[in-house]
Amino acid sequence: MIRIGDFSKLSHVTVKALRLYDEMGLLKPVLVDTFTSYRYYEFSQLTRLYRILALKDLGLSLEEIGSVLENEVSVEHLRGMLALRQAEIRQRMREDEVRLERVANWLEHLKEERPMSVHAVVLKTVESFKVASMRGIVPQPPDQNILWDEVIAFMERHKARMAGAPFAIYHDPDFREKDWDIEVCQPVVEAVPSSDKVKVYDLPRVEKMACVVHHGPFATLPTAYDSLAAWIDQNGYRIVGPAREINLRLPDTMGDQNDPNTVNEVQFPVEKA
């Protein structure tokens, strides 16, 4: 028999890990001295220890390893566990490849000694949520206030509770000089009956949303759209739905297009091209 310290050196597994395996019943010492509490192991236990390490290297949790070692899982179950780990690893590899592309684009950006954009783009998943909305054609984006007046009055009539920042969805696929197809939306806590003008529904989940936050007047928002469009193109994505414009901080005077303290988040649903 050998003491835990020597067993640790022999196996290149820390004493702390060996004690954890003991506590979890994965690898019990053959003897624990009643006076010194020293743990003692046999050389033959290296086989079981190395099996633990091999399964751990495959990504199985210690609880799953315990089940495997005690024959509590069938071969079919073990095959399923490993297939799941394989899928998870492949997904991480795909995510790392996308991240690697973004790093390469940043390196190219910095190689040309261009200043870092104030518009940092992130990808995120936007879950489904309930909105009270009104869609209509207005001459220009600032004219969407007539839509908001209807939604606000609707919210007040139904005593509907807000569940987030208001936003607009721009349904036109291309830039327009006039007659914009805009839907204004107010997230709500609970469902209320729709009216002839205001619709209450669940906005669908978006798996990949490219987003950028813009600090500054509404009049300067096109710079955020330009930055977002450039990032989408440079990183191999394509736009697959209408833009959302979230009003994180509204101007102090409603409709003011030049309030420097306004904050908006611009979003585009995207997928890999």
Side-chain angles (χ1 to χ4, degrees):
M1 291 188 296
I2 57 175
R3 286 171 44 166
I4 188 171
D6 295 324
F7 194 67
S8 169
K9 293 176 183 177
L10 181 64
S11 62
H12 297 283
V13 176
T14 65
V15 169
K16 181 179 179 180
L18 290 172
R19 286 173 176 160
L20 176 61
Y21 298 162
D22 178 12
E23 291 170 7
M24 297 188 66
L26 297 176
L27 184 68
K28 288 283 189 183
V30 293
L31 175 67
V32 178
D33 191 296
T34 54
F35 295 102
T36 63
S37 296
Y38 286 156
R39 292 172 171 86
Y40 290 88
Y41 294 82
E42 294 280 8
F43 288 106
S44 60
Q45 290 182 282
L46 285 172
T47 301
R48 184 179 176 91
L49 176 59
Y50 288 166
R51 191 175 184 196
I52 293 170
L53 298 178
L55 292 171
K56 187 169 179 286
D57 183 62
L58 292 176
L60 271 64
S61 69
L62 294 181
E63 290 78 7
E64 290 170 329
I65 292 171
S67 297
V68 172
L69 294 178
E70 298 305 320
N71 297 317
E72 294 179 9
V73 298
S74 64
V75 172
E76 190 62 33
H77 190 180
L78 178 58
R79 187 181 293 116
M81 292 164 65
L82 295 179
L84 178 61
R85 295 298 176 271
Q86 184 182 56
E88 291 173 347
I89 292 168
R90 284 175 174 166
Q91 178 61 31
R92 285 199 298 270
M93 289 173 64
R94 286 193 290 268
E95 292 171 354
D96 285 342
E97 286 175 1
V98 172
R99 189 172 294 109
L100 186 60
E101 290 178 13
R102 292 201 292 269
V103 171
N105 286 328
W106 271 107
L107 287 172
E108 190 66 26
H109 184 97
L110 296 173
K111 185 170 68 176
E112 298 176 12
E113 297 184 351
R114 289 177 291 175
M116 291 179 66
S117 171
V118 295
H119 295 120
V121 179
V122 298
L123 277 178
K124 63 184 179 182
T125 298
V126 177
E127 300 295 341
S128 173
F129 57 94
K130 198 173 300 296
V131 296
S133 83
M134 182 174 178
R135 182 172 175 176
I137 305 298
V138 297
Q140 296 290 335
D143 299 312
Q144 64 184 264
N145 282 341
I146 60 174
L147 303 176
W148 279 115
D149 290 343
E150 291 285 350
V151 172
I152 292 171
F154 173 87
M155 296 280 293
E156 290 175 349
R157 280 197 307 274
H158 291 276
K159 296 181 173 55
R161 294 182 295 164
M162 295 185 294
F167 62 96
I169 302 176
Y170 292 83
H171 288 281
D172 293 302
D174 302 304
F175 176 80
R176 299 182 65 84
E177 293 289 343
K178 62 177 183 177
D179 296 335
W180 290 61
D181 184 359
I182 298 177
E183 179 182 1
V184 299
C185 302
Q186 175 58 61
V188 292
V189 174
E190 62 277 305
V192 293
S194 298
S195 69
D196 292 339
K197 294 181 178 180
V198 179
K199 180 183 177 184
V200 178
Y201 71 102
D202 291 319
L203 203 61
R205 180 179 189 268
V206 177
E207 183 65 33
K208 285 187 174 64
M209 190 78 87
C211 310
V212 66
V213 174
H214 178 74
H215 296 257
F218 279 120
T220 62
L221 261 175
T223 62
Y225 279 91
D226 290 343
S227 295
L228 191 51
W231 184 94
I232 291 170
D233 181 63
Q234 291 167 3
N235 288 274
Y237 287 91
R238 62 168 168 243
I239 296 170
V240 293
R244 297 184 190 179
E245 207 171 276
I246 297 40
N247 308 134
L248 300 176
R249 186 187 187 284
L250 291 166
D252 292 333
T253 302
M254 187 61 68
D256 185 354
Q257 299 296 298
N258 297 297
D259 187 333
N261 297 315
T262 305
V263 181
N264 290 280
E265 179 173 327
V266 180
Q267 302 178 340
F268 271 113
V270 296
E271 67 180 14
K272 265 298 183 180

